[in-house]
Amino acid sequence: MKKLINGVERIVYEQLEGLALAHPQLLRVAFDPHYIVRSRPPAANKVAVISGGGSGHEPLHSGFVGYGMLDGACPGAVFTSPTPDQIVACVQAVPRAAGVLLIVKNYTGDVLSFEMAAELLHMEGVTLRTVVVDDDVAVKDSLYTAGRRGVGATLMVEKIAGGAAEAGCGLDQVAELARRTNLGSRSMGLALSSCTVPAVGAPTFALAADEIEIGIGIHGEPGQKRLPCVTLDEMTALLAGAILDDGPYARVEREWSPQQGEWVECTLVNPPFAAGDRVIALVNGMGGTPLSELYAAYRSLVYFCRGRDIQIVRNLVGPYVTALEMAGFSITLTRVDDEMLHFWDAPVHTPALRWRM
Amino acid sequence: MKKLINGVERIVYEQLEGLALAHPQLLRVAFDPHYIVRSRPPAANKVAVISGGGSGHEPLHSGFVGYGMLDGACPGAVFTSPTPDQIVACVQAVPRAAGVLLIVKNYTGDVLSFEMAAELLHMEGVTLRTVVVDDDVAVKDSLYTAGRRGVGATLMVEKIAGGAAEAGCGLDQVAELARRTNLGSRSMGLALSSCTVPAVGAPTFALAADEIEIGIGIHGEPGQKRLPCVTLDEMTALLAGAILDDGPYARVEREWSPQQGEWVECTLVNPPFAAGDRVIALVNGMGGTPLSELYAAYRSLVYFCRGRDIQIVRNLVGPYVTALEMAGFSITLTRVDDEMLHFWDAPVHTPALRWRM
């Protein structure tokens, strides 16, 4: 295994310390338990937006801490959920009088940790809402998930909810926007190569010299199928076709009820895409794919969407939700309305996303 | 060979079209000959800053076209110099009354193409200056270079010269700043893996499972030596040590003399770094290295520089001057004064660098 590391046990610590050294004006890092918060605390009456998950997907989430996006992030070990005490400590380190939105990718471990943290924080009197992101249309359940996995749409949810919170919206509105963003989003990815989890030291899976895996997860967990390598336009048609052809998707969401003192369930439906939809398009590199190839993939996606009368009104091309050094890419489309677009366009200043500032 | 491409002969065309589709408000692309210019032309009395080189190093140079940086870029085929007619067409497509600065990486083919273009443009009455970037301390000459190769410092030169031109500085001042930036810069990189040039279809070189190559070039050309993989701190010491220990470096620069109608030579000396220097630090990914590992490398560099009393006043961490999907990283340090820092900090809005806008 060849990596830019000093030792497997120090990886996350050193990466976080490097991030903080590079961006002291934006964020600071606390250790044991590990979390990241803004170095300049926001106003006391701002809704706090917190996320987290396993490390190895950078810049998600640590690179999105800053003005207009996240107030805090909780990085677990590589591809490992954060612990409840990390989440509790992170929330306790930010202004939370106006309430806290937790943005959670739909993996069983992440959901459990955030639910446990939420219960502890509720007992302390913190008002919280949780939004679970589950945008990956590739598989129904996965090695680590009941239901669909949370992938690229996490960025959209964090940006739009973060923009709304920064603009002074209340917790209900911020949570509703986050949920609407997830309900409007679908993603799918493919891999040209595996990644190597440092603690394992060998590639997670093996692909033949001419083979690609369609519907791969961001931890190297299996996708839908393997194919001989096809052209980029064919790859795009496989991913974007699955996204645009996906039917209505119903899912049970759990929300803590302070009145009842328990989790109550409600069913949410992601309506399918339709001709005339306006979308934000993310062409996301998995970590080991050149930017130039991602731009070629964006070109391919533009033509595909034109053929379906889907109008791309904003785009983001680059490695944002990665799986270490995996080669490949994913596509996320998020249906937007004017309000969502307004908060997408709002100023943001984080290590990985910055505009109008 | 697995890549996100439709066919080897269409690669650069499709990547450039994707770039233009993603950023229509920033740039437009012309084909046959290929070049990129801003979509909103700058003021007629602004010095034009133009660069270019082989494709495969993205975001360099195409991703740096926009406000506060490049007015135009000329992309050759993958790892292949642009042709003189590309450069001439690009210069003819931008306002050039205030003169043109050509920023050229020191590779024999690039230097020849830009010199031929400069002679043609001089004959048309265009006032030009050329600055050759040669910051790589790894090897004296290389497969493609007489003298040192131009690598990471190209970004520093393009940003600082671009900032000065945007602020209304005249050609002499912009060229002098570009030259000063290059003279204050040194770089070195290492590879954990090769890259595959699409037209070749097989890796450029082979490294053993535990082997790294020190001093690698951005086209996969050989470096100084191969070593068994060492820790990140040892890698950083090898690269940053070579940069900080490098003595004065003298080089002959050629500048066109309109009076004499020929190229005249002058000797320029890069003075070595010294304790107390203020630097901009670039920790650059070669294309296939996770961002998280680059932040760990930045941490390592901070500690190394502290030990030498070198003060990092600005930093940039990410894949900026790449070699397709090569795994590895390079370090660039640029000694700065207040004027250089002012133009580094100046607003920029390009696909790959954006701040204060």
Side-chain angles (χ1 to χ4, degrees):
Chain A
M1 178 179 64
K2 291 185 280 190
K3 287 181 183 287
L4 308 183
I5 60 174
N6 283 314
V8 167
E9 69 294 339
R10 294 169 54 80
I11 287 178
V12 173
Y13 178 91
E14 294 192 352
Q15 292 173 351
L16 290 175
E17 191 183 6
L19 181 77
L21 286 165
H23 305 285
Q25 76 287 11
L26 293 180
L27 50 83
R28 69 178 178 83
V29 176
F31 295 104
D32 298 316
H34 299 0
Y35 62 84
I36 304 146
V37 292
R38 299 192 197 182
S39 46
R40 281 179 250 173
N45 61 350
K46 179 191 166 298
V47 169
V49 181
I50 307 283
S51 192
S55 293
H57 307 301
E58 288 72 19
L60 184 83
H61 302 266
S62 53
F64 300 144
V65 174
Y67 183 91
M69 213 158 165
L70 296 181
D71 292 278
C74 310
V78 174
F79 293 174
T80 302
S81 302
T83 55
D85 67 309
Q86 284 182 267
I87 301 161
V88 169
C90 184
V91 169
Q92 287 173 334
V94 303
R96 56 199 175 284
V100 178
L101 176 69
L102 301 177
I103 298 172
V104 186
K105 298 197 298 305
N106 190 37
Y107 298 95
T108 307
D110 289 33
V111 170
L112 269 176
S113 279
F114 275 93
E115 285 196 356
M116 286 181 62
E119 292 187 22
L120 293 166
L121 290 160
H122 278 301
M123 286 192 286
E124 293 186 8
V126 181
T127 307
L128 290 115
R129 300 289 296 276
T130 299
V131 169
V132 176
V133 181
D134 61 344
D135 53 315
D136 188 343
V137 303
V139 292
K140 184 173 172 300
D141 300 303
S142 82
L143 277 183
Y144 311 114
T145 334
R148 290 180 169 180
R149 301 175 293 213
V151 288
T154 317
L155 185 160
M156 318 309 216
V157 173
E158 293 179 0
K159 174 66 185 80
I160 289 172
E166 204 68 62
C169 297
L171 180 58
D172 285 343
Q173 189 184 355
V174 172
E176 193 277 324
L177 269 160
R179 195 163 280 174
R180 202 189 323 158
T181 303
N182 180 57
L183 291 179
S185 297
R186 283 175 171 81
S187 300
M188 192 158 137
L190 62 80
L192 308 189
S193 76
S194 178
C195 56
T196 294
V197 177
V200 177
T204 305
F205 60 93
L207 286 173
D210 69 336
E211 205 177 33
I212 62 176
E213 176 136 357
I214 309 295
I216 194 79
I218 57 173
H219 311 89
E221 65 270 38
Q224 281 181 354
K225 58 185 171 188
R226 293 184 177 188
L227 293 179
C229 191
V230 292
T231 67
L232 175 54
D233 286 343
E234 289 167 319
M235 294 179 197
T236 304
L238 281 166
L239 302 184
I243 289 168
L244 293 179
D245 293 338
D246 188 51
Y249 174 68
R251 175 173 67 79
V252 173
E253 176 123 327
R254 289 157 56 83
E255 185 75 63
W256 180 260
S257 164
Q259 291 77 25
Q260 301 170 247
E262 61 182 14
W263 294 89
V264 290
E265 298 188 340
C266 60
T267 299
L268 300 172
V269 177
N270 299 33
F273 286 102
D277 276 350
R278 293 184 301 159
V279 302
I280 302 173
L282 167 64
V283 172
N284 175 60
M286 301 303 283
T289 293
L291 182 62
S292 52
E293 294 183 23
L294 299 178
Y295 275 114
Y298 180 69
R299 170 192 174 277
S300 190
L301 178 63
V302 167
Y303 286 106
F304 191 87
C305 285
R306 282 181 188 168
R308 298 289 193 102
D309 193 22
I310 299 292
Q311 189 190 350
I312 301 175
V313 292
R314 299 289 185 279
N315 70 81
L316 207 54
V317 179
Y320 290 101
V321 180
T322 64
L324 296 169
E325 72 283 2
M326 183 186 284
F329 77 115
S330 64
I331 292 171
T332 299
L333 298 180
T334 298
R335 180 194 306 107
V336 288
D337 54 36
D338 289 344
E339 187 185 25
M340 292 159 74
L341 212 49
H342 172 76
F343 292 123
W344 175 265
D345 288 341
V348 61
H349 186 180
T350 70
L353 275 196
R354 181 172 183 181
W355 53 71
R356 298 173 195 265
M357 290 193 76
Chain B
M1 177 178 64
K2 291 185 279 191
K3 287 181 183 285
L4 309 183
I5 61 174
N6 283 314
V8 168
E9 70 293 340
R10 294 169 54 81
I11 287 178
V12 173
Y13 177 90
E14 294 192 351
Q15 292 173 350
L16 290 175
E17 191 184 4
L19 181 76
L21 286 165
H23 304 285
Q25 75 287 13
L26 292 180
L27 51 83
R28 68 178 179 84
V29 175
F31 295 105
D32 299 314
H34 298 1
Y35 62 84
I36 303 145
V37 292
R38 300 193 197 180
S39 46
R40 281 178 249 174
N45 61 350
K46 178 190 167 297
V47 169
V49 181
I50 307 282
S51 191
S55 293
H57 307 300
E58 288 73 20
L60 184 82
H61 303 267
S62 53
F64 299 144
V65 174
Y67 183 91
M69 213 159 164
L70 296 181
D71 293 278
C74 309
V78 174
F79 293 175
T80 303
S81 302
T83 55
D85 67 309
Q86 284 182 268
I87 301 161
V88 169
C90 183
V91 169
Q92 286 172 335
V94 303
R96 55 200 177 283
V100 178
L101 176 69
L102 301 176
I103 298 173
V104 186
K105 299 198 300 301
N106 189 37
Y107 298 95
T108 307
D110 289 33
V111 170
L112 270 175
S113 279
F114 275 93
E115 285 196 356
M116 286 181 63
E119 292 186 23
L120 293 166
L121 290 160
H122 277 301
M123 287 192 286
E124 293 187 8
V126 180
T127 306
L128 290 116
R129 301 289 298 276
T130 299
V131 169
V132 176
V133 181
D134 61 344
D135 52 314
D136 188 344
V137 303
V139 293
K140 185 174 170 299
D141 300 303
S142 82
L143 277 184
Y144 311 113
T145 335
R148 290 180 169 180
R149 301 175 292 213
V151 288
T154 316
L155 184 159
M156 317 309 217
V157 173
E158 292 179 359
K159 174 66 186 82
I160 290 172
E166 204 69 61
C169 298
L171 180 58
D172 285 345
Q173 190 185 353
V174 173
E176 194 278 323
L177 269 160
R179 196 163 281 173
R180 205 192 317 159
T181 303
N182 180 56
L183 291 178
S185 297
R186 283 175 170 81
S187 299
M188 193 157 137
L190 62 79
L192 309 189
S193 76
S194 177
C195 54
T196 295
V197 177
V200 177
T204 306
F205 59 93
L207 288 173
D210 70 335
E211 205 177 31
I212 61 176
E213 175 136 0
I214 310 293
I216 194 78
I218 57 173
H219 311 89
E221 65 270 37
Q224 281 182 353
K225 58 185 170 188
R226 294 184 177 188
L227 292 179
C229 191
V230 294
T231 67
L232 175 55
D233 285 344
E234 289 167 317
M235 295 180 196
T236 304
L238 281 165
L239 303 185
I243 288 168
L244 293 178
D245 293 338
D246 188 51
Y249 173 67
R251 175 173 68 80
V252 173
E253 175 123 326
R254 290 155 57 81
E255 185 75 64
W256 180 260
S257 165
Q259 292 78 26
Q260 299 170 246
E262 60 181 16
W263 294 88
V264 291
E265 297 188 339
C266 62
T267 299
L268 299 172
V269 177
N270 300 33
F273 286 102
D277 276 349
R278 293 185 301 160
V279 300
I280 302 172
L282 166 64
V283 172
N284 175 61
M286 302 303 283
T289 292
L291 182 62
S292 53
E293 294 183 23
L294 299 178
Y295 276 114
Y298 180 69
R299 170 192 174 276
S300 190
L301 178 64
V302 166
Y303 285 107
F304 191 88
C305 285
R306 283 181 187 169
R308 298 289 193 101
D309 194 21
I310 299 291
Q311 191 190 347
I312 300 175
V313 293
R314 299 289 185 278
N315 70 80
L316 206 54
V317 179
Y320 290 103
V321 181
T322 63
L324 296 169
E325 72 283 0
M326 182 186 284
F329 76 116
S330 65
I331 292 171
T332 299
L333 298 179
T334 299
R335 182 195 303 106
V336 287
D337 53 35
D338 289 343
E339 188 186 24
M340 292 160 73
L341 212 48
H342 173 75
F343 292 123
W344 175 265
D345 287 341
V348 63
H349 186 179
T350 70
L353 275 195
R354 182 173 183 179
W355 53 71
R356 297 172 196 269
M357 290 193 75

Short mmCIF file of all heavy atoms in Angstrom, two decimals, chain B residues 43 79 113 117 136 229 324:
data_model
loop_
_atom_site.label_atom_id
_atom_site.label_comp_id
_atom_site.label_asym_id
_atom_site.label_seq_id
_atom_site.Cartn_x
_atom_site.Cartn_y
_atom_site.Cartn_z
N ALA B 43 -11.26 45.03 -20.55
CA ALA B 43 -11.10 46.37 -21.11
C ALA B 43 -10.00 46.37 -22.17
O ALA B 43 -9.03 45.62 -22.10
CB ALA B 43 -10.74 47.35 -19.99
N PHE B 79 -0.20 16.10 -23.31
CA PHE B 79 1.26 16.14 -23.09
C PHE B 79 2.02 16.58 -24.35
O PHE B 79 3.16 16.17 -24.57
CB PHE B 79 1.78 14.78 -22.60
CG PHE B 79 1.30 14.40 -21.22
CD1 PHE B 79 1.61 13.14 -20.70
CD2 PHE B 79 0.57 15.26 -20.43
CE1 PHE B 79 1.19 12.77 -19.43
CE2 PHE B 79 0.14 14.90 -19.15
CZ PHE B 79 0.45 13.65 -18.65
N SER B 113 7.32 26.78 -29.76
CA SER B 113 6.02 27.22 -30.30
C SER B 113 5.72 28.66 -29.91
O SER B 113 5.27 29.46 -30.73
CB SER B 113 4.89 26.31 -29.78
OG SER B 113 4.83 25.12 -30.52
N ALA B 117 5.38 31.86 -32.40
CA ALA B 117 4.16 32.68 -32.36
C ALA B 117 4.52 34.13 -32.07
O ALA B 117 3.98 35.06 -32.69
CB ALA B 117 3.20 32.14 -31.31
N ASP B 136 11.26 23.59 -11.30
CA ASP B 136 11.43 22.22 -10.78
C ASP B 136 12.90 21.94 -10.49
O ASP B 136 13.72 21.86 -11.41
CB ASP B 136 10.89 21.23 -11.82
CG ASP B 136 10.83 19.81 -11.30
OD1 ASP B 136 11.46 19.52 -10.27
OD2 ASP B 136 10.14 18.99 -11.92
N CYS B 229 8.69 2.91 -0.61
CA CYS B 229 7.77 3.91 -0.08
C CYS B 229 8.16 4.26 1.36
O CYS B 229 8.40 3.38 2.18
CB CYS B 229 6.33 3.41 -0.13
SG CYS B 229 5.13 4.69 0.22
N LEU B 324 -2.54 13.78 -15.59
CA LEU B 324 -3.66 12.84 -15.75
C LEU B 324 -4.02 12.23 -14.40
O LEU B 324 -4.25 12.99 -13.47
CB LEU B 324 -3.32 11.78 -16.82
CG LEU B 324 -3.12 12.35 -18.24
CD1 LEU B 324 -2.52 11.31 -19.18
CD2 LEU B 324 -4.44 12.88 -18.80
#
